[in-house]
Amino acid sequence: MIKSMTGFGRGEYTDGKRNITVEIKSVNHRYSDISVKMPRRYGFAEDKIKSAVKGRLRRGKVDVSVMVENITENDINIRLNEPIARQYYDNLKTLKKDFDVEGDISLSLLATMPDVMKAIPDVEDEEEIIKAILIPAEEAAVNLEKMRSIEGEKLAEDLLKKGENIKKILDKIEERAPLVVKDYMERLKIRIAELLDGNATVPEERILTEAAIFADKCAIDEEITRLNSHLLQLAKIVKSGNEAEGKKLDFLVQEMNREANTIGSKANDITITGYMLEIKSEIEKIREQVQNIE
């Protein structure tokens, strides 16, 4: 079944040292565009995350958010920056001497100075971290894929319904088309009679010739046949169960719109024109829906 490009998925995992949450959001996009937002210290895992997500999603703009919480003390190293501490100490002694102020330069004072004591995350085993992050990333991707499939089912139902609506209207056009020439002949006879005012008669052959020329100009049989064929193809693609059909459907909708425009321009009948406006409205709705199909 076709899939929507819009969805959301979430995955969680804990390895005893950290809790990892991965959220993935996707919207429609012409190509595959995956971006990852995560703590800088885990940047080495970004390519692996993108590969894992890309393996499940062919198209769409995808935002992946990786959150790592509850880091244990084993993941942090407190380091002393002795050169900076010494500079603070020497500068404080200079201030005390130059300004002749009282007071001791204590350890507690030095320890609070910026960058003297620094907590540095300690990530030693990158492979272990990557494996830990990929577990919730895969779970989030699976959940996203499920949502996109559910949305795809709804899109499929809507597309099939709109295709059926177009078919019903097209049947009305097909029924109306033969009457267009007949109506033209009647109007032509009345117009000629008005112009001649009973002073002369026009041969029936001449009227038939004019009607034949008109019929040739406004013939829409081929366009109706092609549009019917496109509708069958639409239903076939939607029901096929194949994935990644968005581009194919997008092209098909363009062809449907082309045939509809041709019918509308050739028909030369106000009733058919009204029907075609309804069909074009339905095609436009299909086009909008197709934009969101993977």
Side-chain angles (χ1 to χ4, degrees), residues 47-220:
D47 288 341
K48 294 288 186 179
I49 295 171
K50 284 186 176 181
S51 296
V53 174
K54 193 172 184 179
R56 292 185 173 275
L57 312 175
R58 293 177 177 82
R59 281 207 305 162
K61 187 180 188 312
V62 182
D63 293 319
V64 182
S65 177
V66 179
M67 294 158 282
V68 183
E69 301 175 317
N70 298 337
I71 300 176
T72 66
E73 60 182 16
N74 294 330
D75 289 323
I76 295 292
N77 285 328
I78 306 298
R79 296 184 184 178
L80 167 64
N81 195 327
E82 188 174 338
I84 288 181
R86 191 172 299 280
Q87 288 185 52
Y88 278 126
Y89 181 75
D90 291 342
N91 282 304
L92 287 170
K93 285 202 307 182
T94 300
L95 284 173
K96 182 177 179 180
K97 179 180 178 182
D98 291 348
F99 290 92
D100 192 23
V101 294
E102 298 294 331
D104 296 327
I105 302 173
S106 65
L107 177 61
S108 59
L109 175 62
L110 282 175
T112 59
M113 292 296 170
D115 296 325
V116 171
M117 308 290 282
K118 201 165 187 180
I120 301 176
D122 181 25
V123 180
E124 295 181 354
D125 191 342
E126 291 187 358
E127 289 300 320
E128 178 187 342
I129 299 297
I130 289 174
K131 289 180 180 178
I133 292 177
L134 286 180
I135 291 173
E138 287 281 359
E139 182 185 357
V142 169
N143 291 332
L144 171 65
E145 191 175 26
K146 289 179 180 177
M147 179 176 284
R148 284 162 61 118
S149 295
I150 293 172
E151 290 297 318
E153 290 177 6
K154 295 178 181 178
L155 285 173
E157 291 176 4
D158 189 60
L159 290 176
L160 291 174
K161 183 178 180 180
K162 286 179 170 54
E164 291 170 1
N165 291 341
I166 293 175
K167 173 60 178 171
K168 291 176 182 177
I169 301 171
L170 197 57
D171 288 344
K172 294 179 181 179
I173 292 175
E174 197 166 10
E175 184 179 340
R176 170 65 185 169
L179 302 178
V180 173
V181 176
K182 183 178 179 182
D183 288 350
Y184 174 76
M185 288 181 62
E186 294 299 325
R187 293 197 306 272
L188 183 62
K189 289 179 181 179
I190 293 173
R191 182 59 177 158
I192 291 173
E194 290 176 350
L195 291 173
L196 297 178
D197 196 21
N199 295 323
T201 59
V202 177
E204 186 70 18
E205 293 79 6
R206 180 59 180 170
I207 295 178
L208 291 174
T209 299
E210 290 295 328
I213 294 172
F214 175 80
D216 185 61
K217 289 181 179 180
C218 69
I220 55 176

Side-chain angles (χ1 to χ4, degrees), residues 2-6 28 59 151-163 234 238 245-247 249-250 253 281-294:
I2 59 176
K3 292 182 180 179
S4 168
M5 281 192 280
T6 301
N28 61 310
R59 281 207 305 162
E151 290 297 318
E153 290 177 6
K154 295 178 181 178
L155 285 173
E157 291 176 4
D158 189 60
L159 290 176
L160 291 174
K161 183 178 180 180
K162 286 179 170 54
L234 174 70
V238 171
E245 296 285 14
K247 291 183 178 180
L249 286 171
D250 187 50
V253 171
S281 175
E282 290 294 303
I283 292 176
E284 177 59 23
K285 292 174 185 176
I286 291 175
R287 189 193 67 79
E288 291 175 358
Q289 295 285 48
V290 165
Q291 298 305 307
N292 200 36
I293 294 175
E294 187 177 53

Side-chain angles (χ1 to χ4, degrees), residues 221-279:
D221 294 351
E222 291 183 8
E223 288 78 8
I224 290 175
T225 299
R226 284 195 291 268
L227 187 49
N228 269 317
S229 176
H230 293 333
L231 290 173
L232 290 174
Q233 189 67 16
L234 174 70
K236 182 179 178 180
I237 293 173
V238 171
K239 294 177 180 178
S240 67
N242 296 330
E243 299 176 2
E245 296 285 14
K247 291 183 178 180
K248 188 183 293 185
L249 286 171
D250 187 50
F251 175 77
L252 183 61
V253 171
Q254 292 180 42
E255 294 302 305
M256 289 171 62
N257 199 50
R258 193 194 316 278
E259 300 301 339
N261 285 332
T262 304
I263 292 173
S265 63
K266 289 178 66 176
N268 201 12
D269 179 73
I270 190 169
T271 301
I272 292 179
T273 299
Y275 288 147
M276 287 315 305
L277 290 176
E278 294 180 39
I279 286 179

